[in-house]
Amino acid sequence: MEETYLMNYPGVRKKILAGGSGPLPHFPPGTKLVFHFQTLLDNFERTVVDDSRLAGRPAEIFVGKMFKMEVWETLLMSMRIGEVAEFWCDATQHTGLYPIVSKGMRLIAQGKDPLEGQRHMCGMGNLFHYHSTGFPDLDELMKTPQPLIFIMELLQVGDPMSYHRESWMMEKDEKLQMVPLLHMQGNALVKRREFREAASKYKEAVLLLKTVQSREMPGDIDYINLGRMIVPLELNYCQCMLELEEYYEVIEHTNELLEKHKCVKGYYKRAKAHAAVWNEKEACRDFNMVARLDATLASLVNREMRALSERLKEKYWEEKEAYWNKLERKEIKNEEEEVENNRNQEDSESPTGKSKGEVGEEKSEAAPEGYKEEALPEATGNKEDPSPSEINKAEGKDWQQMLRLVMLLQNEGNFLIKEKCFEDASKKFKEAIEYVDVLQNMVDQKAEDWGSLEKVRLPLTLNLSQCMLELSQYQRVVELNNKLLERHKNFKAVYQRARAHAALCNEDEARRDFDMVEKLDPNLKPFIRQELKKLAEAMRTMHTCQNKTYWDTTQEKWGSGGSKAKAAGRRRKCSQKATEE
């Protein structure tokens, strides 16, 4: 058949090599075209550049989807199914981008990503950036553009609705029509408890809506409405992830959702995910937000909080038991080693001829600076001799074991405080403080580790003092904090001592400490005022029980003069006379 030019398309000549079957197909946008092609140079040898049959699979393009070689759509749309035709295309108008298209198809045939290593720019920009396609024949075509011959065989023309279309192939209206269908499919899969498949449906619907939303102006009514359509789909996706125990996925998606939309279900699902991964603080925060936003869910929130508390308690005791078992095994092993070493020493003498027990044992573990492993009285130097309880604490344990025990006892005490078991908590803190005493007796007071241990003692003493307050042992609280404040200027210690003095009706001492707390932290002023009111009420109650009048209490406090100012004046006069004499 003679070669002819395609009508209304300059720079292209067509020659039919084998006729196709049937009429010319209809090619609406989105039509899938499956074809084989062969690319030849327009020279005497007709050198083959590419051949899809050698790659083992036909090529595919979709009509109207901006394929880089736009001329190929025109060529294929002029053919019937089964037709084989040869097209000559001019270099000036049609074949300039062919090296880029060919590079991508060659990489795909090799099983590689056609965009691998490219920067975010157009194909020509990447080409100029890297100066090469990676294929010498294509580089030559880039340097000297020339006409090309395409031999094409149209294999199949697919109906746009006969296959699953990717989102990039859909128009805006098609995407919006797909969303409710995907939503319904996801709901049906959830009813069948196929959560993984349902999650993929919801995620696909969300991606479609976000693609459409990205083309709208933020703040416009269409943008806002699309955002509202995304919310239920995101929540359904998160519910599926909860069922699949993908908790961090839920946290990530709900964080993003709650930045834009404050919804009760979002907080609830995030709270459930935090609770599942033991994030107690975050879970409680979200559960409280749920109860604040919807008061009708308060009972549900309380039930979830109780369940979380029970799970945390079980986890705590499981970890404690595992730790103690491990520690006990280590102690038994150390005791066995020590017995074996003693037996070896009894059976042999030292190389210098000294009797057994005179050769010092090597340390099994490196101790920190300042620590000594001799007997406690020699190690403490100018310190007091250790008490019998401290000696019992130190027996069979090295300094590392005692440090671990201090941390463990502190954690146990903190947990028991949360459970309001103050008696048990105080025992834990007392035991931890005893271990700290033992450790401090094992180290030089001028060493850095002694100061570190003192920092460990501070929170333990404060927590013990808090337990004593809750147990109404106020005199013990005063003694603890008096001793603590000799070494540390801590406003918590002052505040606890003030409360204890107030409970004991030591008015002057309580007011002195409350004034000091207010100076150290002015933000506590409202609490101080409230405590002072309680103190005044307690003092009035005490005076009433003692049948004392206001005049009796004033004279008792300030003397026969009657007031604070007069009493202060008398004291000044007495001091002046003393100085004159």
Side-chain angles (χ1 to χ4, degrees):
M1 187 175 288
E2 294 184 0
E3 191 175 52
T4 59
Y5 284 95
L6 285 181
M7 188 177 297
N8 299 325
Y9 213 85
V12 177
R13 294 198 300 267
K14 177 181 178 181
K15 182 191 295 185
I16 298 176
L17 304 180
S21 60
L24 190 68
H26 178 57
F27 299 96
T31 300
K32 182 179 180 180
L33 304 178
V34 183
F35 62 98
H36 274 300
F37 74 94
Q38 190 178 47
T39 305
L40 312 174
L41 296 179
D42 186 19
N43 55 16
F44 181 77
E45 294 84 3
R46 290 170 64 93
T47 306
V48 177
V49 179
D50 289 304
D51 190 340
S52 62
R53 287 180 175 82
L54 296 179
R57 55 181 295 182
E60 299 176 355
I61 65 171
F62 298 89
V63 175
K65 299 306 173 185
M66 295 185 295
F67 185 63
K68 289 188 178 80
M69 287 289 292
E70 293 183 15
V71 70
W72 279 16
E73 287 187 18
T74 304
L75 305 182
L76 292 167
M77 289 169 64
S78 69
M79 301 171 66
R80 292 174 171 81
I81 296 176
E83 179 180 328
V84 181
E86 178 181 301
F87 299 90
W88 177 91
C89 297
D90 181 76
T92 307
Q93 304 178 57
H94 305 302
T95 63
L97 291 177
Y98 181 78
I100 299 172
V101 175
S102 176
K103 174 190 174 183
M105 289 189 294
R106 291 183 185 185
L107 291 175
I108 292 172
Q110 295 173 8
K112 298 179 180 179
D113 183 359
L115 301 178
E116 183 179 359
Q118 291 192 14
R119 294 192 173 187
H120 188 65
M121 59 178 72
C122 67
M124 290 299 293
N126 271 289
L127 207 59
F128 283 119
H129 181 79
Y130 294 106
H131 310 295
S132 173
T133 62
F135 300 95
D137 54 341
L138 299 181
D139 290 342
E140 186 64 28
L141 278 177
M142 289 297 301
K143 293 176 183 177
T144 56
Q146 52 187 288
L148 295 175
I149 298 171
F150 302 108
I151 300 176
M152 294 188 167
E153 179 184 0
L154 184 58
L155 303 175
Q156 183 182 345
V157 177
D159 186 353
M161 304 305 294
S162 64
Y163 55 89
H164 178 72
R165 306 176 68 193
E166 301 290 340
S167 61
W168 60 270
M169 297 168 54
M170 298 181 187
E171 301 296 333
K172 176 181 176 180
D173 293 339
E174 293 179 275
K175 293 175 182 176
L176 293 176
Q177 290 172 6
M178 258 322 266
V179 168
L181 179 61
L182 291 169
H183 197 163
M184 291 173 61
Q185 291 174 352
N187 292 345
L189 289 167
V190 167
K191 290 180 181 179
R192 298 201 298 267
R193 303 192 65 80
E194 298 176 10
F195 298 110
R196 185 74 63 183
E197 294 76 9
S200 66
K201 296 295 181 183
Y202 294 132
K203 189 172 185 178
E204 185 178 352
V206 169
L207 291 175
L208 288 174
L209 287 174
K210 287 186 175 181
T211 304
V212 176
Q213 190 185 39
S214 66
R215 297 178 179 273
E216 302 292 340
M217 182 69 69
D220 285 356
I221 186 66
D222 291 338
Y223 186 92
I224 295 172
N225 289 336
L226 288 167
R228 290 172 180 167
M229 292 172 65
I230 290 172
V231 173
L233 293 166
E234 281 276 20
L235 291 173
N236 289 355
Y237 174 78
C238 290
Q239 183 61 40
C240 292
M241 291 294 103
L242 276 176
E243 297 290 344
L244 295 169
E245 299 183 358
E246 299 284 351
Y247 301 117
Y248 290 103
E249 181 81 2
V250 176
I251 293 171
E252 180 182 351
H253 278 267
T254 49
N255 284 344
E256 183 180 350
L257 178 64
L258 291 170
E259 287 177 1
K260 301 174 183 177
H261 308 279
K262 305 300 181 184
C263 58
V264 177
K265 290 184 179 180
Y267 282 111
Y268 181 73
K269 294 183 192 305
R270 189 170 70 177
K272 293 277 286 183
H274 277 306
V277 295
W278 311 108
N279 296 338
E280 180 185 7
K281 182 179 178 181
E282 293 81 359
C284 292
R285 177 197 64 199
D286 286 342
F287 278 132
N288 290 331
M289 181 64 73
V290 170
R292 193 177 303 123
L293 293 175
D294 191 346
T296 61
L297 297 176
S299 59
L300 174 64
V301 168
N302 290 334
R303 189 162 61 249
E304 292 288 350
M305 296 276 277
R306 285 195 298 272
L308 174 60
S309 178
E310 289 297 324
R311 289 176 59 239
L312 287 169
K313 191 182 298 184
E314 291 175 5
K315 177 175 179 288
Y316 169 79
W317 290 114
E318 287 175 4
E319 291 179 349
K320 177 187 173 183
E321 184 177 359
Y323 176 81
W324 278 108
N325 289 339
K326 184 176 180 181
L327 186 61
E328 187 176 354
R329 287 195 298 270
K330 184 175 181 180
E331 289 179 354
I332 293 172
K333 183 178 178 181
N334 291 341
E335 290 176 0
E336 291 175 353
E337 291 178 354
E338 186 177 355
V339 170
E340 185 66 25
N341 291 336
N342 292 336
R343 186 178 301 149
N344 293 335
Q345 288 179 359
E346 291 174 358
D347 295 339
S348 62
E349 293 183 354
S350 65
T352 57
K354 294 182 180 179
S355 62
K356 58 183 179 180
E358 293 183 5
V359 180
E361 296 181 357
E362 295 182 358
K363 296 181 180 179
S364 60
E365 295 184 8
E369 180 184 357
Y371 278 86
K372 301 177 183 179
E373 293 193 0
E374 293 87 355
L376 288 173
E378 286 80 6
T380 55
N382 58 351
K383 292 188 181 181
E384 299 178 357
D385 290 343
S387 64
S389 63
E390 290 179 354
I391 294 175
N392 291 335
K393 290 286 180 188
E395 285 182 356
K397 299 181 180 68
D398 59 22
W399 64 271
Q400 289 184 342
Q401 289 175 329
M402 285 189 280
L403 276 177
R404 286 194 291 269
L405 283 170
V406 169
M407 297 299 105
L408 179 64
L409 290 166
Q410 184 177 16
N411 291 336
E412 288 182 5
N414 293 337
F415 179 80
L416 290 169
I417 285 180
K418 290 181 181 180
E419 298 295 317
K420 300 188 183 303
C421 301
F422 300 109
E423 184 70 35
D424 295 334
S426 64
K427 293 178 182 177
K428 299 296 181 183
F429 292 128
K430 286 178 184 177
E431 188 176 356
I433 291 172
E434 289 178 3
Y435 278 117
V436 173
D437 291 337
V438 173
L439 290 168
Q440 282 190 317
N441 286 328
M442 295 171 66
V443 71
D444 186 3
Q445 191 168 2
K446 295 181 180 180
E448 181 180 351
D449 293 304
W450 195 93
S452 300
L453 289 167
E454 192 63 26
K455 292 178 182 177
V456 173
R457 178 194 296 276
L458 176 61
L460 292 170
T461 307
L462 289 172
N463 289 348
L464 177 59
S465 175
Q466 183 63 36
C467 292
M468 295 294 103
L469 267 178
E470 298 292 342
L471 295 170
S472 302
Q473 299 182 19
Y474 304 117
Q475 192 60 44
R476 178 63 175 151
V477 175
V478 173
E479 294 171 0
L480 281 172
N481 288 294
N482 284 342
K483 188 175 180 181
L484 182 63
L485 289 167
E486 291 176 1
R487 301 176 180 177
H488 307 278
K489 299 301 180 184
N490 185 279
F491 83 95
K492 289 184 179 179
V494 180
Y495 181 68
Q496 289 181 357
R497 188 175 68 177
R499 288 185 60 193
H501 278 307
L504 294 169
C505 293
N506 299 335
E507 185 177 7
D508 293 339
E509 292 84 352
R511 290 185 181 277
R512 177 200 64 200
D513 285 346
F514 280 131
D515 290 341
M516 189 183 301
V517 171
E518 187 175 338
K519 290 178 183 177
L520 292 173
D521 191 349
N523 294 329
L524 294 176
K525 186 174 181 179
F527 301 99
I528 301 303
R529 293 289 173 264
Q530 188 176 2
E531 293 290 344
L532 289 173
K533 288 180 182 179
K534 292 180 182 178
L535 174 62
E537 290 292 335
M539 295 301 298
R540 280 195 291 272
T541 303
M542 184 183 72
H543 293 153
T544 302
C545 294
Q546 296 174 352
N547 294 323
K548 288 184 179 179
T549 63
Y550 176 77
W551 178 252
D552 294 335
T553 55
T554 304
Q555 280 192 327
E556 182 180 323
K557 189 171 184 179
W558 308 113
S560 59
S563 71
K564 181 178 179 179
K566 291 180 181 179
R570 286 196 301 271
R571 284 195 294 269
R572 283 197 299 271
K573 288 180 181 179
C574 291
S575 62
Q576 287 175 2
K577 287 181 182 180
T579 53
E580 288 174 0
E581 293 176 357

